[in-house]
């Protein structure tokens, strides 16, 4: 029992109390339910790999997005993590391809450019005919540093490089926006 | 804005305390080491979200306890406000009007100006004393500054870490350079603007206290002792870029960032150009610290349209009668003031203090007698 609690509490966002609650819940379940959970955990780990092209999580490489013909092959969107791809896909606005870096430059966490999938990115840029590169790293210090770095190394290739706009959330109120966001929204205003 | 009541649980030597205050003068008197300054510390903590006496906030938790709790009720021009802080060994929780918030949301809600015996370090001590002073009061006056400063310090940490790596990736360094210049220029711009707009208040206070005998100048000192006047953010960026080029080799050798607002200074000199820090008499230095703080009070009043709370930690013994009079006559009738002192009579000599609504509290071993 204590081993189960210990293992569960290693998961992100799960403290010892939650781990204990989960452990008791699991014990209360019928055996087949638990087998299903255990199998799906193992199966996920065994079957899911990284796409050789974009670095996104997938069961078969290249992944569903890279291998689908109807995606716009001239657009490439660079994101930090796989979960960012999933978030972007939910929008159904973007029809191009992705490149997952696997993180952002952060010396404090020991992550430098060589730890990100940047070499793979350069190979892709050289062998494909992208017309626009969209940098979609997070709008924080590390994401911004990564974007600047990418800009530096992609610029010589003379491709169009864009960044996602920063500004007001849809359905929000101006008065509740924090000053920095509002300031950015002002800088990035568009003509209507 | 003023504090109407304070509640402390297991805070320093106060086990369980609730006090109500006068909106004008509150005097804590008693022997040494009875807990007078602890009360000022608690009041400042409700305003700043941290202690002004220690960097380790869990030191304020009573010995033998694991948590402590502070609550202050404030009344201002607008609505009453309640600020609560819970401190544990590993974390702190803040609540503003019963809503859970972050420290940054508390900071600046209720501005305070603190006078303490350590203030002389502002003049005599190293540049970090003056930078901390600028940053502390800027954050209270300009809510945006906290964010600007936080972003800069993150960039600085990242860059310093990168410089410590065995082999520094120069393209990556360039990226952090750009960020350092951009975020650093913002910090400096805020400080320059703050200095420019606050100095008139400080000089005015200075002349009041010293009867115009001496005038001081205040200059922001950047990289290699360069005096920065209020320039545009673009110009500051250019300066930082140039400075970065000159230190490029030594930065890689010494493995640390050698330019930026974390190293700048505020230079205070006489009109003749002589530095107050070196050439000022003890008395002149004291007058200057008093002027700095009094100027700030008026600046806060001007920008926020209400006075800050004034905390005087055992400073009455430091000032001569002229300075005390200046302080009392100028401030005490409009600002809520908390004073600690070893004797009740310290104030009786100032007959005019009795015109104000003054409350006396005698402090003895963490207990309090209204007297």
């Amino acid at each position: 029992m204590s081993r189960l609690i210990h293992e569960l509490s290693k998961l992100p966002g799960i403290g010892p109390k939650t781990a204990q609650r989960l452990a008791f819940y699991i014990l209360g379940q019928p055996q087949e339910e638990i087998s299903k959970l255990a199998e799906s955990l193992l199966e996920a780990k065994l079957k899911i790999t990284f796409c050789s092209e974009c670095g996104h999580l997938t069961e078969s490489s290249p992944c569903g997005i890279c291998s689908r013909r109807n995606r716009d092959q001239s657009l490439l969107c660079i994101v930090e993590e796989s979960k960012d791809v999933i978030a972007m896909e939910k929008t159904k606005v973007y029809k191009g391809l992705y490149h997952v870096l696997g993180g952002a430059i952060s010396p404090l966490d020991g992550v430098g450019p060589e730890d990100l999938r940047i070499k793979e990115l350069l190979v892709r840029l050289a062998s494909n005919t992208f017309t626009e590169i969209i940098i979609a790293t997070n709008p924080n210090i590390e994401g911004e540093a990564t974007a600047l770095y990418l800009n530096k190394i992609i610029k010589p290739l003379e491709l169009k490089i864009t960044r996602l706009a920063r500004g007001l959330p849809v359905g929000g109120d101006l008065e509740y926006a924090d000053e920095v966001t509002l300031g950015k929204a002002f800088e990035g205003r568009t003509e209507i | 804005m003023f504090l109407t009541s304070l509640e402390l649980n297991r805070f320093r030597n106060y086990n369980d305390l609730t006090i109500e205050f006068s909106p004008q003068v509150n005097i804590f008197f008693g022997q040494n080491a009875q807990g007078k300054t602890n009360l000022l510390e608690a009041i400042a903590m409700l305003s700043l979200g941290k202690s002004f006496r220690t960097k380790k906030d869990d030191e304020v938790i009573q010995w033998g306890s694991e948590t402590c709790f502070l609550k202050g009720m404030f009344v201002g021009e607008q609505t009453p406000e309640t600020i609560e802080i819970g401190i544990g060994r590993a974390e702190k929780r803040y609540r503003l009007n019963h809503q859970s918030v972050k420290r940054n949301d508390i900071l600046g809600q209720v501005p305070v100006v603190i006078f303490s015996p350590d203030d002389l370090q502002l003049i005599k001590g190293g540049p970090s004393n003056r930078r901390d002073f600028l940053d502390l009061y800027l954050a209270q006056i300009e809510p945006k500054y906290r964010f600007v400063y936080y972003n800069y310090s993150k960039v600085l940490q990242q860059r310093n870490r990168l410089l410590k790596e065995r082999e520094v990736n120069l393209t990556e360094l360039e990226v952090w350079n750009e960020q350092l210049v951009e975020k650093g220029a913002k910090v400096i711009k805020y400080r320059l603007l703050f200095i420019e707009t606050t100095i008139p208040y400080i000089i005015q206070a200075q002349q009041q206290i010293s009867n115009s005998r001496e005038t001081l100048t205040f200059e922001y000192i950047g990289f290699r002792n360069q005096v920065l006047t209020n320039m545009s953010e673009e110009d500051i960026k250019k300066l930082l870029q140039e400075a970065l080029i000159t230190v490029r080799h030594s930065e890689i050798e010494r493995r640390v960032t050698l330019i930026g607002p974390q190293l700048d200074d505020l230079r205070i000199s006489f009109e003749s150009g002589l530095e107050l820090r070196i050439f000022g008499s003890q008395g002149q230095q004291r007058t200057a610290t008093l002027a700095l703080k009094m100027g700030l009070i008026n600046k806060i009043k001007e920008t926020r349209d209400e006075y800050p709370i004034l905390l005087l930690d055992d400073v009455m013994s430091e000032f001569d009668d002229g300075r005390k009079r200046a302080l009392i006559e100028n401030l005490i009738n409009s600002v809520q003031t908390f004073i600690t002192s070893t004797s009740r009579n310290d104030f009786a000599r100032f007959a005019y203090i009795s015109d104000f609504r003054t409350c006396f509290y005698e402090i003895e071993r963490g207990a309090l007698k209204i007297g």
Side-chain angles (χ1 to χ4, degrees), chain B residues 159-220:
Chain B
R159 191 172 184 273
N160 280 337
R161 185 68 192 73
L162 178 68
L163 286 167
K164 292 208 167 44
E165 252 149 55
R166 215 174 312 143
E167 201 139 327
V168 179
N169 176 334
L170 291 178
T171 323
E172 192 189 343
L173 185 62
E174 231 172 278
V175 164
W176 291 111
N177 286 353
E178 272 173 51
Q179 298 250 68
L180 189 85
V181 167
E182 166 147 0
K183 310 281 193 271
K186 283 207 166 73
V187 170
I188 294 176
K189 177 70 194 169
Y190 266 102
R191 287 184 180 169
L192 290 176
L193 201 65
F194 175 70
I195 291 171
E196 194 189 71
T197 56
T198 311
I199 281 173
Y201 295 101
I202 297 174
I203 289 178
Q204 197 194 2
Q206 156 81 17
Q207 289 179 336
Q208 258 172 13
I209 306 165
S210 66
N211 297 321
S212 306
R213 273 173 307 201
E214 50 206 45
T215 312
L216 295 176
T217 59
F218 297 82
E219 293 159 309
Y220 188 81

Side-chain angles (χ1 to χ4, degrees), chain A residues 19-185:
Chain A
Q20 193 176 333
R21 208 170 64 230
L22 289 174
F24 276 113
Y25 178 81
I26 290 170
L27 287 182
Q29 295 291 301
Q31 179 132 18
E32 62 219 85
E33 283 296 315
I34 298 174
S35 305
K36 265 194 251 168
L37 176 64
E39 272 164 32
S40 59
L41 284 175
L42 257 176
E43 192 180 311
K45 182 64 199 168
L46 291 173
K47 281 201 181 155
I48 292 181
T49 54
F50 295 103
C51 170
S52 57
E53 278 291 301
C54 68
H56 187 36
L57 293 172
T58 177
E59 275 187 41
S60 58
S61 182
C63 71
I65 297 172
C66 289
S67 55
R68 194 138 2 113
R69 283 289 119 211
N70 61 359
R71 304 286 305 201
D72 188 337
Q73 307 286 327
S74 65
L75 295 178
L76 184 72
C77 177
I78 306 176
V79 296
E80 290 180 18
E81 307 278 0
S82 267
K83 57 178 196 268
D84 301 329
V85 174
I86 293 164
M88 298 284 272
E89 280 300 282
K90 276 193 197 144
T91 67
K92 298 198 165 66
V93 170
Y94 179 66
K95 299 287 181 206
L97 301 175
Y98 292 97
H99 190 85
V100 181
L101 292 171
I105 296 177
S106 173
L108 286 172
D109 299 308
V111 180
E114 65 287 347
D115 302 310
L116 303 176
R117 299 182 68 255
I118 289 178
K119 258 185 239 119
E120 292 88 335
L121 173 68
L122 292 175
V123 171
R124 280 182 91 187
L125 293 180
S127 58
N128 284 278
T129 50
F130 296 116
T131 55
E132 183 179 345
I133 309 301
I134 303 148
I135 300 180
T137 51
N138 287 326
N140 53 26
I141 297 287
E142 292 76 21
E144 222 156 283
T146 312
L148 285 171
Y149 185 85
L150 291 173
N151 185 39
K152 264 193 207 314
I153 57 164
I154 301 174
K155 209 159 207 172
L157 304 175
E158 289 181 352
L159 289 164
K160 182 178 171 190
I161 306 171
T162 55
R163 280 206 68 180
L164 290 189
R166 282 170 290 183
L168 296 171
V170 175
D173 279 322
L174 268 194
E175 63 166 324
Y176 293 123
D178 66 282
E179 296 136 15
V180 181
T181 307
L182 200 51
K184 291 278 185 201

